[in-house]
Amino acid sequence: MTETQPPVEGHASDLAHIVVEFDDNRLVGDLYGQFDQNLAIIEHKLGVDAAARGNKVSIKGTPDACALARQVLDSLYQRLQQGHTLHPGDVDGAVRMAETASAQLNLPDIEPRGGKLALATIGTRKKTITARNPAQDAYIRALDRAQLVFGTGPAGTGKTYLAVAYAAALLERGDVERMILSRPAVEAGERLGFLPGDMKEKIDPYLRPLYDALYDMMPADKVEKGLQNQIIEIAPLAFMRGRTLSNAVVILDEAQNTTSMQMKMFLTRLGEGSKMIVTGDPSQVDLPPGQVSGLAEAYRMLRDIDDIVHLKFRAEDVVRHPLVTKIVTAYDDAARRRVRAAAERQAPLLGGDQ
């Protein structure tokens, strides 16, 4: 229950004071966080003063900021009621969602009663994943409504993790018969030389991130059984040639390292009753110099096709350690400065020719 109080005495008339009350005293400790760290995040992000006393939170700030803080607390409390646990990243994500609820696709942004945010989720047998920012929310909703989805952007935005989670959910529900996870076997700027072992042992290092995400979504015994029965297949991109993938969910990760022909080959494997998810970071191409990235070319050629959805993640959508966001932003800024400097050096030359 939320009560709106008169403006804070002694402050400017545009400040508000609201009190949010929660019914279940057993959940408020998890809602506030250890040493009230979750409330501290809300204070820092929204510029409000949030003080907890028992099962009530007193919020002071501008009317808009107080309303956002209430939405964030209501959303987090609802998640606890559903049996989920909260982490600092979830609080940060709830703040982002409250600030940009209008970015959500298709489904109602806010429930008609109580002003609670309707966040997109993916439920697997092992865990439930909730969108942590508007980009993830739009991505999950796009996966629901489109047969082919491109998710591109910097590392740490969750594009591969969410794709694997969604694929695992489809498989567990029986919506598809197979899950196929693939990557191009391209070295990331290093020369690894000869790798010992059989074919599986040679290619597994390239596919390890997909294994890690898969084991995080499904019980280990289910993964092992699925791999043995080939219900779950993890293979390099080269193994896709000549196949038609029907009744399957197919993920191509690190797609920026595909060639034009490889991307065309992969996309034309789409069969009846299947979904394809293509993820990649266009800023981290490890192809030989002069080689065009199949991901960049596919985006240019296919962006006007209505049945294909392309979601672009940005540096601010990174959901790893906050320092990762700053690192990605610094690299992006440096790249933009190099482009501008090259253009400025070229401008006098072009002017002299005229």
Side-chain angles (χ1 to χ4, degrees):
M1 180 179 67
T2 302
E3 297 179 10
T4 303
Q5 304 292 345
V8 182
E9 184 178 353
H11 286 248
S13 61
D14 61 346
L15 294 185
H17 176 201
I18 64 174
V19 176
V20 186
E21 181 176 355
F22 301 97
D23 299 329
D24 194 337
N25 291 327
R26 297 171 301 174
L27 300 179
V28 294
D30 292 331
L31 177 65
Y32 302 158
Q34 188 175 22
F35 306 116
D36 291 349
Q37 66 173 351
N38 294 344
L39 295 180
I41 293 173
I42 294 172
E43 286 182 320
H44 175 69
K45 296 288 186 180
L46 297 178
V48 298
D49 177 34
R53 177 172 293 180
N55 65 335
K56 298 180 181 180
V57 180
S58 171
I59 306 171
K60 300 176 184 178
T62 65
D64 288 345
C66 288
L68 287 175
R70 178 185 60 78
Q71 285 186 7
V72 171
L73 287 170
D74 283 343
S75 174
L76 296 174
Y77 182 69
Q78 184 181 36
R79 293 189 61 187
L80 290 171
Q81 287 179 311
Q82 294 169 349
H84 305 314
T85 56
L86 293 182
H87 304 282
D90 297 318
V91 182
D92 182 67
V95 171
R96 297 192 204 184
M97 290 301 306
E99 290 177 319
T100 54
S102 61
Q104 294 180 318
L105 297 180
N106 288 342
L107 298 182
D109 299 334
I110 299 177
E111 294 178 8
R113 295 183 180 179
K116 297 178 181 177
L117 294 173
L119 306 179
T121 61
I122 300 173
T124 69
R125 188 173 305 178
K126 199 170 181 181
K127 61 167 58 177
T128 298
I129 298 94
T130 302
R132 287 189 173 185
N133 54 51
Q136 286 194 355
D137 185 81
Y139 186 48
I140 294 172
R141 297 180 193 279
L143 294 175
D144 275 332
R145 68 186 177 92
Q147 279 190 288
L148 175 57
V149 176
F150 286 84
T152 62
T157 50
K159 52 191 184 296
T160 299
Y161 190 79
L162 292 175
V164 175
Y166 188 79
L170 290 182
L171 187 65
E172 288 181 345
R173 295 200 304 258
D175 292 346
V176 295
E177 297 174 357
R178 291 181 297 161
M179 180 198 310
I180 301 171
L181 313 178
S182 184
R183 268 186 165 197
V186 176
E187 296 166 347
E190 302 178 50
R191 294 297 178 186
L192 302 180
F194 173 76
L195 292 175
D198 59 20
M199 178 60 71
K200 183 178 184 302
E201 292 171 329
K202 290 178 188 291
I203 64 176
D204 270 1
Y206 297 103
L207 306 173
R208 179 49 52 187
L210 296 177
Y211 281 104
D212 292 343
L214 188 58
Y215 279 102
D216 207 24
M217 299 301 158
M218 301 175 66
D221 59 329
K222 298 294 183 182
V223 175
E224 296 297 336
K225 185 176 180 180
L227 290 169
Q228 291 174 5
N229 297 338
Q230 295 189 327
I231 293 173
I232 301 173
E233 182 179 348
I234 303 178
L237 179 59
F239 288 16
M240 298 295 106
R241 188 174 298 279
R243 304 175 62 181
T244 298
L245 305 174
S246 301
N247 300 312
V249 55
V250 191
I251 298 173
L252 175 59
D253 190 34
E254 296 289 329
Q256 75 275 5
N257 289 327
T258 62
T259 65
S260 175
M261 290 303 296
Q262 285 176 328
M263 179 59 76
K264 178 183 176 183
M265 178 272 291
F266 176 80
L267 295 177
T268 54
R269 301 307 95 194
L270 181 64
E272 199 70 32
S274 291
K275 277 181 177 280
M276 275 189 170
I277 309 168
V278 179
T279 66
D281 181 357
S283 70
Q284 294 189 8
V285 177
D286 299 310
L287 294 171
Q291 180 73 65
V292 176
S293 168
L295 178 61
E297 184 180 67
Y299 172 68
R300 290 193 301 269
M301 295 177 62
L302 307 178
R303 59 186 173 185
D304 294 329
I305 299 178
D306 293 336
D307 296 331
I308 299 175
V309 178
H310 185 184
L311 267 295
K312 290 187 69 174
F313 292 86
R314 299 168 296 175
E316 53 265 39
D317 298 318
V318 171
V319 292
R320 291 180 184 170
H321 193 285
L323 191 57
V324 176
T325 302
K326 297 178 181 179
I327 292 171
V328 171
T329 300
Y331 273 93
D332 288 346
D333 290 345
R336 282 191 287 269
R337 287 195 296 271
R338 287 195 296 269
V339 171
R340 284 198 300 268
E344 290 170 358
R345 288 194 299 269
Q346 189 71 13
L349 297 176
L350 294 175
D353 292 338
Q354 293 176 350

